[in-house]
Amino acid sequence: MPGLMLLDTPSLYYRAFYGIPESMTAPDGMPVNAVRGVIDMIAMLIRRYSPGEMAACMDADWRPAFRVAAIPTYKAHRVVEGGAEETPDTLAPQVPVLERVLDAVGIARVGVPGYEADDVMGTLTARASGPVDVVTGDRDLFQLVDDTRPVRVLYTARGVKNLQAIDEATVTEKYGVPGRAYADFATLRGDPSDGLPGVPGVGDKTAAALITAYGSLEALLRAVDGDGPPPGSPEGGAAVLTAGRRAKLSAAREYLRIAPGVVRVARDAPVPGIDLALPSEPRDPRALAALGERYGLRSPLERLTSAL
């Protein structure tokens, strides 16, 4: 059955921007490499996966206040003067053009004040009654993977033409943690790219061993507090929760109290109820034709229209 496809739009336009030369320009010389790239990505996704619904999820707030209040270093290294996100000068003007294209095509574009695109995807995934594909280059969204529904990530790290379908078995094979425990694993390990410190002295292997032994961060912290071995573990996790690791986790207890609220994507963001059905033809053909002419996008828009 055709399902819902969620596009991590910022991830896609950054990938397109850095993957396609800026020599790809509009008639007036404005670079449109990111716009062209995303249009062709969407056309390819539609042809290959035939989703019944699609949403282009946006960052209405790339650094939400609730995450910064919890961990002030969250994405702090990307902030420029005025509190805006550091964005290449030739990419920033392309984002509004892409938004106009999405609107003219009729692909739902969804952002919520105070939340990131990740939170929109988490909420729409939680609401979905059928299968969901999340298209992203962000490993943080592996936490949404759920074979029982099913929800999978189409991971763009190798390029959109070489998408890797991430299910729970893939997460376990790659990181050594149960498929839906990725957020707990990431909390322990940290993520310098997002300004999340993690627990000092706890890397990938240790984080994976701890989460695998205890099943969840909550159970691990109960064991740190001396509330007993992990349920079902014949060795009681003693070989994993050594005295040294217990000390490291205890020292990072305040971080571990607040970090899950930062690392875990929201499942209950106030996303408005909108029609996510993928159209079979452009919503506004005249506006789309004008955009194609103005920005030199006729060929990629023809490919997208054909895919619809």
Side-chain angles (χ1 to χ4, degrees):
M1 293 291 291
L4 170 62
M5 178 170 283
L6 302 175
L7 307 178
D8 183 355
T9 313
S11 174
L12 296 184
Y13 63 62
Y14 268 98
R15 170 164 289 278
F17 177 77
Y18 287 111
I20 299 173
E22 288 187 43
S23 57
M24 195 72 69
T25 61
D28 65 358
M30 172 186 170
V32 290
N33 53 327
V35 181
R36 290 181 66 100
V38 174
I39 292 171
D40 277 332
M41 288 179 193
I42 294 174
M44 183 279 294
L45 290 164
I46 293 171
R47 285 195 301 269
R48 183 179 298 181
Y49 296 100
S50 301
E53 297 179 305
M54 178 176 284
C57 303
M58 312 296 292
D59 279 337
D61 190 337
W62 70 280
R63 193 170 179 251
F66 72 91
R67 290 193 168 100
V68 176
I71 300 180
T73 58
Y74 182 67
K75 295 186 178 180
H77 59 294
R78 304 186 205 173
V79 178
V80 295
E81 187 176 351
E85 181 180 16
E86 184 178 16
T87 305
D89 292 342
T90 51
L91 172 59
Q94 297 189 56
V95 177
V97 177
L98 175 61
E99 292 175 341
R100 291 165 63 191
V101 167
L102 292 169
D103 292 347
V105 172
I107 294 174
R109 181 166 57 87
V110 191
V112 178
Y115 292 89
E116 300 177 61
D118 291 14
D119 301 310
V120 175
M121 288 181 278
T123 299
L124 290 176
T125 296
R127 292 180 185 176
S129 58
V132 180
D133 282 339
V134 178
V135 185
T136 183
D138 186 351
R139 294 179 301 171
D140 291 344
L141 290 166
F142 290 177
Q143 64 186 276
L144 297 179
V145 169
D146 184 346
D147 288 357
T148 65
R149 302 194 49 197
V151 179
R152 65 180 178 176
V153 166
L154 300 178
Y155 192 44
T156 64
R158 300 174 184 170
V160 176
K161 292 183 179 179
N162 298 293
L163 289 172
Q164 183 180 10
I166 305 294
D167 58 11
E168 291 194 59
T170 311
V171 175
T172 302
E173 179 182 359
K174 188 172 181 63
Y175 298 102
V177 296
R180 278 165 273 175
Y182 185 84
D184 289 345
F185 162 77
T187 298
L188 287 175
R189 180 198 62 190
D191 187 348
S193 68
D194 279 342
L196 298 172
V199 177
V202 175
D204 284 22
K205 290 184 178 179
T206 300
L210 289 167
I211 294 301
T212 298
Y214 288 87
S216 70
L217 182 58
E218 291 81 0
L220 171 61
L221 294 178
R222 286 196 299 269
V224 170
D225 292 339
D227 291 342
S233 172
E235 299 179 1
V240 176
L241 188 57
T242 61
R245 290 171 178 172
R246 186 187 297 272
K248 291 172 183 177
L249 293 167
S250 295
R253 192 56 189 264
E254 181 60 18
Y255 163 78
L256 292 172
R257 182 183 67 81
I258 60 177
V262 176
V263 175
R264 292 171 185 161
V265 302
R267 309 296 180 101
D268 57 354
V271 177
I274 59 175
D275 184 7
L276 302 179
L278 186 66
S280 58
E281 58 186 20
R283 173 187 294 157
D284 190 338
R286 182 174 299 180
L288 198 62
L291 288 165
E293 188 70 24
R294 165 68 179 82
Y295 294 103
L297 301 171
R298 281 182 292 178
S299 292
L301 287 176
E302 287 173 0
R303 289 190 287 272
L304 177 54
T305 300
S306 175
L308 291 175

